[in-house]
Amino acid sequence: MIFRFTITHKAPNSRARIGILETPHGRVQTPVFTPVGTKATVKAMTPEELLELGAELLLANTFHLSLRPGAEVIYQLGGLHKFMHWDHPLLTDSGGFQIFSLSALNKIDDDGVTFKSPLDGSLHRLTPEKAVEIQNLLGADIIMVLDECIPYPCEIDYARYSTQLTLSWARRSQAAHKNPAQALFGIVQGSVYPELRIESARETTALDFPGYAIGGLSVGEPKPLMYEMLDLSVSHLPEDKPRYLMGVGTPQDFIAAVDHGVDMFDCVVPTRNARNGKLYTSGGTINIKNAAYTADAGPVDPHCSCYTCRHYSRAYLRHLFLSKEILAARLNTVHNLAFFLSLMRQIRQAIATNSWDTFKGQIQCQLPSDNSSHHPPSG
Amino acid sequence: MIFRFTITHKAPNSRARIGILETPHGRVQTPVFTPVGTKATVKAMTPEELLELGAELLLANTFHLSLRPGAEVIYQLGGLHKFMHWDHPLLTDSGGFQIFSLSALNKIDDDGVTFKSPLDGSLHRLTPEKAVEIQNLLGADIIMVLDECIPYPCEIDYARYSTQLTLSWARRSQAAHKNPAQALFGIVQGSVYPELRIESARETTALDFPGYAIGGLSVGEPKPLMYEMLDLSVSHLPEDKPRYLMGVGTPQDFIAAVDHGVDMFDCVVPTRNARNGKLYTSGGTINIKNAAYTADAGPVDPHCSCYTCRHYSRAYLRHLFLSKEILAARLNTVHNLAFFLSLMRQIRQAIATNSWDTFKGQIQCQLPSDNSSHHPPSG
């Protein structure tokens, strides 16, 4: 079997577990944080730098790549791995999240969605079959069924309709999937309604996908409600398949979601915040443009050993940021990704050494408080 | 002696020569191309990448750095080398070129220049003494006297006045220079008037600087006039001191100027053009956004072995450029700097092996024709 998920250890008194995802392009240790490379590039980074930071899985965006340069072009050039010079595991989302985040440009119906290109306003049609066909052309190791990410808040009638729509699209996506070397994941929706979350998890599971995503969370709902829905969704997913919490999130979210049994995450938080000068440190987040750093000779985080912290002062990073220098985006992104990927390594280590309970208690107090966990539009 | 220039070989039938510049931060092989790091960063690049490409000397900008973050801040942080993580030879210009390129913001008088900050409109005063004081604080290995870069065209009366002004500023800069670990270079001006060029070269030489720059060329004058003035200037400079042609230029300019006996060059041409998608190849320049490259699987230049050409297709670079991705600026800059630095290595090799005459004839036919040699504002 080309795609295999093996749970190697479980934490006592928790759903947290570590495992190995095997894909045609290599292994991924879970829980995994997946840097977002929307347009076939993790903004400001080379693949070699991502590898050095410990990234094992990258995400690219079906919606954006199908508009430019086009899935056929990438297929002709040997597929997405070769196109972006990343010969390691890759995941593509289905475009479902863009139906949500670019809703002003979209019109949804039972069969699929018609949308205006944000590039030139031209009309395009995305169906479950088309989303899978595009992803077959791109050739990522993990691909996603087309779904509708339900906004929050949402009336129960629409949530019920949309949850069934996503289920019917999951069946059609599965039927259309042609490449056994790519693992097609199902997506659980259901908004914030317990019965819909349970129904979605059960019926998606009945389709027997090699992995399951939990979608439609961190879209504006209160955190307790998010975790309640996460708990419900995971409870009705099979133990032996990877669980992927889409578009989440912050360090706090990782701890809570891993505790709920989640194995995979992706989010633009570290990379986008880096470009905006918001840096994660063991003592909290800092805004590098703060005047307090004008002549600060220290590194961003004295406990960090990333390239940025080894060689550059806060004063220099502030200068680069104020000067709108490209190197600012680079050095800040290196640091934030180092923080996120290192946290995920610590999480795996804590589970492996049966110290998850202690670790999660300690780290929750240390982690930067952060209210920006709202699912940001990908990009 | 901390600063030493040794000519190691001369080409027969030409003024071309190779040599070694020894500085407190290491050796520089000449003729040398100096990437421009205006604001203490060569845009989009890390120091490690510049080293790997073969850069031995970088230029930073006194004018811009004195406005932000300020020379005192950089001094407090351990100097410019440490600030920008470049423990190798550095050169700072004096700010004289900005008197020219930002002339709308400047008012010049015999004693110095008053200028409005392009950052916030605040008034600042630059004198020869101040320019040297700032450069002493920054701590580059090679620093420059304050000069006025005369615009083209210019009436002979103003050119005569300005040439004398630069000479008096050279004397005052020399008197103000306090740090024997930094080599202060004189600058020859004289516009396009032979007698002024000769007078400037002779009188600047009389002050006995450790090196001489030739300024005020490639500012709009026709190429033949530029080379005539270059020839005149070099003819009246001492043989045993390095000659630095400021702000020049294109590959064609390098060949001609090396043939006239120039040892040092700096220019934003490769880095700025890279960010605008204009790439240098052994077959000419290409514009990477050209639709012809939409599905082009080949590298920018099949004869180039840089990181960009080893791993990425023209199609991918076009996609990144159209998507305004930061990686586009990075990969394009790597390639263009590889081209410029490789050309300079070939030039040195040709002189070393007594094949300069043959080489310059061949390379002139191969080099990309390029009309963008006009001295671009630094940055």
Side-chain angles (χ1 to χ4, degrees), chain B residues 3 21 23 32 34-38 56-62 65 80-81 84 86 88-94 135 138-144 182-183 185 213 244 246 264-266:
Chain B
F3 185 87
L21 260 177
T23 83
V32 61
T34 310
V36 176
T38 303
E56 297 189 327
L57 177 66
L58 301 186
L59 177 145
N61 190 290
T62 297
L65 291 176
L80 186 55
H81 291 86
M84 65 188 286
W86 175 258
H88 302 275
L90 262 182
L91 184 155
T92 44
D93 57 12
S94 61
Q135 292 182 91
L138 296 176
D141 302 272
I142 300 172
I143 66 177
M144 307 301 298
Q182 298 178 281
F185 278 27
Y244 167 25
M246 300 185 87
M264 301 167 62
F265 302 90
D266 81 275

